[in-house]
Amino acid sequence: MTKNLRLKAARAKLDMSQHELADAVDVTRQTISAIERGDYNPSIKLCIRICKVLNVTLNDLFWEEN
Amino acid sequence: MTKNLRLKAARAKLDMSQHELADAVDVTRQTISAIERGDYNPSIKLCIRICKVLNVTLNDLFWEEN
DNA sequence: TTGAAATGTATGATATAGTTTACATAAAGT
DNA sequence: ACTTTATGTAAACTATATCATACATTTCAA
């Protein structure tokens, strides 16, 4: 799997730590960390919660062209 | 959970059965059926595979404004 | 008017997402 | 020096997505 740097960047843009984002979407810090590292494959509902907290859309963080 | 009628519609637009879509994204028909009925919460990777087969994006099928 | 195709749904098994706890490192502040 | 904050990562556990199989209903073509 491949790292999700767009997620990391969107979080950085709001100056949120992994821990803060995790709390905001109600998962553990390890889950956010694993998603950013590309270590797994979150559910669509979790992706949507993350996007809403970060004020972006699914396409912004998770859509891959080509 | 709530039905995913946009998925059903996108599939209909291409005249694909649940079974055909399932084969194309390499899951069982039951999985597609359950997603359309809102009976569960697919992984982002499966969502992406579905979108690509149906020629739409994540936002088209899975993003919820509000 | 039978038969196949499309769909809904249920159940037990398996793979994996997500939790909990824990340890380690680096940076920054006191 | 010590403490706190942010992050990476690992192991054992729990919850749930997904599979495999199965049965039922509706629709529509032969």
Side-chain angles (χ1 to χ4, degrees):
Chain A
M1 310 202 189
T2 174
K3 287 193 179 187
N4 193 327
L5 297 178
R6 281 180 283 170
L7 171 51
K8 197 164 185 167
R11 187 169 56 73
K13 197 167 172 184
L14 297 188
D15 196 24
M16 287 186 101
S17 68
Q18 289 183 345
H19 193 79
E20 288 170 321
L21 176 57
D23 284 351
V25 301
D26 202 37
V27 294
T28 63
R29 180 178 68 79
Q30 282 73 0
T31 296
I32 300 298
S33 175
I35 295 169
E36 289 189 0
R37 310 194 316 261
D39 261 18
Y40 54 64
N41 187 11
S43 67
I44 186 73
K45 285 191 172 178
L46 176 51
C47 293
I48 290 171
R49 275 185 276 146
I50 290 172
C51 286
K52 289 191 170 170
V53 166
L54 297 180
N55 289 311
V56 295
T57 71
L58 282 172
N59 283 359
D60 292 328
L61 295 195
F62 298 102
W63 181 244
E64 357 186 296
E65 304 296 342
N66 92 341
Chain B
M1 313 202 188
T2 173
K3 287 193 181 187
N4 193 328
L5 297 178
R6 282 180 282 171
L7 171 51
K8 197 164 185 167
R11 187 169 57 73
K13 197 168 172 183
L14 296 188
D15 196 24
M16 287 186 100
S17 68
Q18 289 183 345
H19 193 80
E20 287 169 320
L21 176 57
D23 285 351
V25 301
D26 201 37
V27 294
T28 62
R29 181 178 68 76
Q30 283 72 2
T31 296
I32 300 298
S33 175
I35 294 169
E36 289 189 0
R37 307 191 323 258
D39 261 17
Y40 54 65
N41 187 12
S43 68
I44 187 73
K45 286 192 173 179
L46 175 52
C47 293
I48 290 171
R49 276 185 277 146
I50 290 172
C51 286
K52 289 190 171 172
V53 167
L54 298 180
N55 290 312
V56 295
T57 70
L58 282 173
N59 283 359
D60 292 329
L61 295 195
F62 298 101
W63 183 244
E64 4 190 285
E65 304 294 342
N66 92 330

